Amino acid sequence: GWSGISATLVAALIQTTAFYVFFVVQRSREKKKSSYSLYEPRQFLKSHRSPAPFANNWVMDAWRVDKDTLRKNVGLDSYMFLRFLRLGARISAVGIVCSCILVPVYATGKARGEATIQFNQITLARVDAGSLRIWGTVILWWIFIGFILKEFWNEWMEYQDNRREFLAKGDPDGSLDMRYALLVEQLPESEQSDEALAKHFDAIFPNQVRQATVFREVTPLQEKIAERQVAIENVEKAEAFIMAKPEKPRPQQRINSKLPCLGGQKVDKIDHNVAEYERLNQEIDELRKGAAATAVDEAEKMENAAVEKPADDADADTGFNTSSTGVVTFTSLRAKESAMAGHYKELKVFSAADPEHSVLWQNATVPYTKQRIFQLVAAALWISGVLFWAVPVTFVVAIANLDSILKTLGLKQIDSTSALYGIISGLLPVIALAVLMAVLYMAIVAAGEKFIKFKSAPEVDSYTLYWHMLFQFANLWLILIGGSFFNQVDAIIDDPTSLVGIIAGALPGASVFFANMLIVKGLGSFGLELSMLPAYGLTFVMSLLAPEAQRTQRMLDAAKTPPEIKWGQKVPHSVFVFLVMILYMPIVPLMEVFAFVYFAGSFIVWKHQCLHVYSQAADGGGVTTWQGLFGFLMVCLYMGEAVFIAYMGIKEAPGPAACGFVPLVLTIIFHKYINRKIVDNIGNLALDVAAEIDKENGELEPLEGTSVDDKVFGQPALKLKNEEREPMPYRRDEAAAVADASGDVENNNDDQNKGVEDGEEKFTVEYKDTEDGEPVAC
């Protein structure tokens, strides 16, 4: 009832106020120190696409940024996400106007019972069955749905123009070659070489192939490189420790121990790891020699496509077999778009991901068919998992009924009107559900990366968004059905349409739970997001464990990398609020107020964060944050319309129920029109537009180099250029000073991230040897 909502509201206000005060105070300190790491990390990488740091009034600073500047600065993905939050605020604002009419109408209703007390006194449950008051609800519902469809249309017009511009010009900070590249799957064995793949597409698009690369199975090499990286970073950490604490003994490390920190042999950490990465450098070089020999051998064999690889082929031992996946880069956009739209006998083609920021190279060679099979297996597991998901969700819902829990446990009852009761029954279920969803999110991400093995981060994010959102929808009816879920399963299986009626009947009773959820998601999260407290806490703990002098240059560089927004994690929570807003507008109109606070506050907060904090490594052009999102928004709308019709049936109002089909039919027509006239026409760049861009910008030149280092999409494990073979210097500026003193400073700044090149004076550290009390790294 009201006690639970009031307690949750007060607790959320106190929480967000505390976080906001921390934000204001700490931001002022960071401003004085000109420290950008916490609140202005975009200044390190995207200063040319960010407003001036540390504005005096961050709210007005964010509000004044016009939409064109916003889009150019944050990219189309973030821009459409912010447009969605703005959309939610506008729709909920209209819902508030409707609630100003509906709340008095409902509050003066004559229906009485347990479902009409406290908070439910201002819900549709208060209106008698068959009452003429219901017609007022129908009229406002029509207006509400009409406004939503109008807003959807406006967003599509906005997205359509920006999407076409993105396809034409791309992300200004993105990879140029990525715009001209296609990922090719299911290559037959006869075409599993760079030369054969280039020849295949050159026959279709003469003189239009810029470069072709077939990926190789380099798992053994990747494992060696990962092992070497561990050794290199161990040396860096040990050197940093000695530089920070020269009076301390040299760090030591246990080897050959079966348990951490127990048994084994203690050795000098630097000497051991230097020997390790030098050994691994030799082994990596030997593996690459084998790969080079294999490549030459295969090139000769591919001259005759009928020749098959023998079972004892040389690459069988090195693990450098060619795969059925490759990338083709074209010299013109019209060739790339034509190839994308083409139909092939065996091949499948897709847009290529950014090779530097988005490709998951450890999964690059997984066969496409294997991925699809594992995706179906994972889908079956997720679907069946919904039944088991009912158990923890039912428990979470039961927490809200604190009286029953205390009675079952034989404990003393708590006054239901007390603040303690309100906080426990209001906040605890919401927090418990948030924890459950966080664990679920990590499980879905792991399935995408480790089980299905998608080949790019955007694929994993899109997959996570899809299943995370489906579980959010499942949460809705599991929360509404609550403890009676397993009793209702047989009835739902016999008549699936009965689920809508069950949900409709349960909506008023669950309104307090959802009101608390919206309060926590809104007021409870704004201050936390602005404060960046989790990032600050991690930095603070790290500073206690390892002061700045004890951190490696790599650690300092990592602290300057802006965080990314994971759409699969963030978007589903906002869509769930959108769903609650749609479902509850005609039944519990006061819910629109909580939804408005969430969306309006989120829009301002996240607009500021996108401009100053977060930076996406690669822009997907709004495919995830609007095209994929729109399908879920339409599901929300369909569910709202179906529940409205069912609730009118519960209220024994056949006329209003029949009228509820009018907006449903209009919504279906609108959805089909959008898919046919807009979605189908913005997936790829139009050929005539591509030709104009090629004429305006000129075509790319073919790349003649055949070595992996010359390949834009060459696998990093095979590349020698800028390879990290030894530790970074303790401090970059000190390494440069040593190089200056030696008279060999040419191109030092270009190479500083990858260690000191041959010919430069090596940065060395003087160590103090002691025999007692050595610190041991476990």
Side-chain angles (χ1 to χ4, degrees), residues 145-445:
I145 297 299
F147 181 78
I148 291 175
L149 295 180
K150 173 182 173 295
E151 289 294 295
F152 280 173
W153 175 260
N154 292 340
E155 293 305 314
W156 271 110
M157 293 301 98
E158 177 75 15
Y159 176 68
Q160 177 181 245
D161 295 339
N162 289 318
R163 173 67 180 172
R164 286 171 175 165
E165 182 180 357
F166 177 84
L167 291 172
K169 299 180 180 180
D171 181 14
D173 293 330
S175 168
L176 177 64
D177 280 88
M178 183 185 72
R179 294 177 54 210
Y180 292 79
L182 288 181
L183 178 71
V184 185
E185 296 280 12
Q186 294 186 328
L187 289 170
E189 189 172 341
S190 60
E191 294 180 4
Q192 290 180 12
S193 73
D194 298 351
E195 295 78 9
L197 180 58
K199 184 178 179 181
H200 177 94
F201 279 93
D202 189 69
I204 306 173
F205 306 99
N207 302 317
Q208 293 289 296
V209 175
R210 174 172 164 87
Q211 195 174 67
T213 305
V214 174
F215 298 150
R216 291 178 169 273
E217 301 282 358
V218 293
T219 302
L221 183 58
Q222 289 172 331
E223 292 174 349
K224 293 289 184 183
I225 291 174
E227 188 180 351
R228 178 183 64 185
Q229 192 64 28
V230 171
I232 287 175
E233 293 183 21
N234 280 341
V235 173
E236 292 173 357
K237 293 174 183 177
E239 290 181 349
F241 177 85
I242 293 174
M243 293 296 292
K245 300 179 179 181
E247 75 283 358
K248 296 289 185 179
R250 287 170 62 99
Q252 296 203 341
Q253 177 177 342
R254 292 184 185 275
I255 61 173
N256 302 324
S257 60
K258 296 181 179 180
L259 296 174
C261 302
L262 293 176
Q265 176 187 1
K266 288 198 300 184
V267 297
D268 184 273
K269 187 173 185 178
I270 293 176
D271 292 343
H272 172 73
N273 284 283
V274 166
E276 280 294 293
Y277 76 68
E278 289 178 348
R279 173 184 64 82
L280 289 164
N281 279 337
Q282 295 179 358
E283 294 180 6
I284 289 168
D285 292 340
E286 291 299 320
L287 283 172
R288 285 184 177 140
K289 288 180 182 178
T294 300
V296 172
D297 183 53
E298 286 182 351
E300 295 175 353
K301 290 181 180 181
M302 288 303 172
E303 294 180 0
N304 183 358
V307 178
E308 298 183 356
K309 295 181 184 179
D312 60 346
D313 196 2
D315 58 2
D317 293 330
T318 61
F320 288 86
N321 293 313
T322 53
S323 72
S324 58
T325 302
V327 173
V328 176
T329 308
F330 296 91
T331 60
S332 67
L333 282 176
R334 64 183 184 277
K336 182 253 184 173
E337 295 298 336
S338 298
M340 184 73 178
H343 177 72
Y344 304 92
K345 181 179 179 181
E346 296 177 309
L347 308 181
K348 292 187 179 296
V349 296
F350 307 92
S351 293
D354 189 314
E356 183 177 357
H357 299 111
S358 300
V359 176
L360 302 177
W361 288 107
Q362 69 273 21
N363 299 338
T365 59
V366 177
Y368 176 79
T369 303
K370 181 179 179 181
Q371 283 184 321
R372 299 286 77 81
I373 292 173
F374 276 67
Q375 194 170 352
L376 290 174
V377 173
L381 293 174
W382 292 128
I383 292 172
S384 60
V386 171
L387 296 176
F388 297 97
W389 187 248
V391 176
V393 173
T394 300
F395 172 75
V396 166
V397 175
I399 297 175
N401 190 0
L402 191 58
D403 288 336
S404 298
I405 295 177
L406 295 175
K407 184 177 180 180
T408 302
L409 297 176
L411 300 176
K412 182 181 178 181
Q413 299 291 301
I414 300 177
D415 182 6
S416 61
T417 62
S418 66
L420 177 61
Y421 184 94
I423 292 175
I424 295 175
S425 62
L427 279 179
L428 194 57
V430 176
I431 295 173
L433 184 61
V435 172
L436 279 177
M437 296 308 295
V439 173
L440 174 69
Y441 168 76
M442 292 187 287
I444 299 174
V445 171

Side-chain angles (χ1 to χ4, degrees), residues 352-657:
D354 189 314
E356 183 177 357
H357 299 111
S358 300
V359 176
L360 302 177
W361 288 107
Q362 69 273 21
N363 299 338
T365 59
V366 177
Y368 176 79
T369 303
K370 181 179 179 181
Q371 283 184 321
R372 299 286 77 81
I373 292 173
F374 276 67
Q375 194 170 352
L376 290 174
V377 173
L381 293 174
W382 292 128
I383 292 172
S384 60
V386 171
L387 296 176
F388 297 97
W389 187 248
V391 176
V393 173
T394 300
F395 172 75
V396 166
V397 175
I399 297 175
N401 190 0
L402 191 58
D403 288 336
S404 298
I405 295 177
L406 295 175
K407 184 177 180 180
T408 302
L409 297 176
L411 300 176
K412 182 181 178 181
Q413 299 291 301
I414 300 177
D415 182 6
S416 61
T417 62
S418 66
L420 177 61
Y421 184 94
I423 292 175
I424 295 175
S425 62
L427 279 179
L428 194 57
V430 176
I431 295 173
L433 184 61
V435 172
L436 279 177
M437 296 308 295
V439 173
L440 174 69
Y441 168 76
M442 292 187 287
I444 299 174
V445 171
E449 291 183 355
K450 307 297 183 182
F451 182 70
I452 301 172
K453 297 186 177 181
F454 286 115
K455 297 177 182 178
S456 69
E459 282 185 286
V460 174
D461 208 20
S462 179
Y463 177 81
T464 306
L465 172 63
Y466 180 81
W467 284 106
H468 193 184
M469 194 65 252
L470 290 186
F471 270 83
Q472 290 280 13
F473 286 146
N475 282 346
L476 176 81
W477 58 272
L478 290 174
I479 290 170
L480 292 174
I481 296 174
S484 62
F485 169 75
F486 292 102
N487 296 330
Q488 301 282 1
V489 169
D490 291 338
I492 294 172
I493 293 175
D494 293 338
D495 182 14
T497 58
S498 66
L499 178 62
V500 177
I502 294 171
I503 290 177
L507 276 172
S511 58
V512 174
F513 178 88
F514 287 113
N516 288 329
M517 177 179 290
L518 265 59
I519 290 170
V520 173
K521 283 179 176 290
L523 290 175
S525 65
F526 299 152
L528 179 61
E529 176 57 41
L530 283 171
S531 70
M532 298 298 290
L533 195 59
Y536 175 83
L538 181 61
T539 302
F540 180 74
V541 172
M542 288 297 297
S543 66
L544 295 178
L545 298 177
E548 182 172 339
Q550 197 175 325
R551 295 178 217 168
T552 67
Q553 183 64 56
R554 191 185 306 275
M555 292 177 180
L556 297 178
D557 291 344
K560 296 180 180 180
T561 303
E564 286 191 61
I565 303 174
K566 299 298 182 182
W567 304 122
Q569 181 180 29
K570 177 59 187 172
V571 171
H573 294 289
S574 299
V575 176
F576 188 79
V577 175
F578 188 89
L579 172 62
V580 171
M581 175 184 71
I582 299 295
L583 288 175
Y584 274 100
M585 199 291 293
I587 301 173
V588 187
L590 192 61
M591 202 73 75
E592 303 305 292
V593 176
F594 302 128
F596 176 78
V597 171
Y598 173 84
F599 280 114
S602 294
F603 175 68
I604 293 296
V605 168
W606 281 94
K607 187 176 181 181
H608 171 270
Q609 297 296 83
C610 288
L611 286 166
H612 294 269
V613 179
Y614 294 98
S615 175
Q616 304 306 104
D619 196 339
V623 173
T624 299
T625 55
W626 181 247
Q627 283 186 245
L629 170 65
F630 179 71
F632 291 115
L633 298 184
M634 291 305 299
V635 171
C636 294
L637 201 53
Y638 287 136
M639 290 180 67
E641 291 166 338
V643 166
F644 178 85
I645 295 170
Y647 202 82
M648 292 299 102
I650 293 174
K651 282 296 180 180
E652 300 176 7

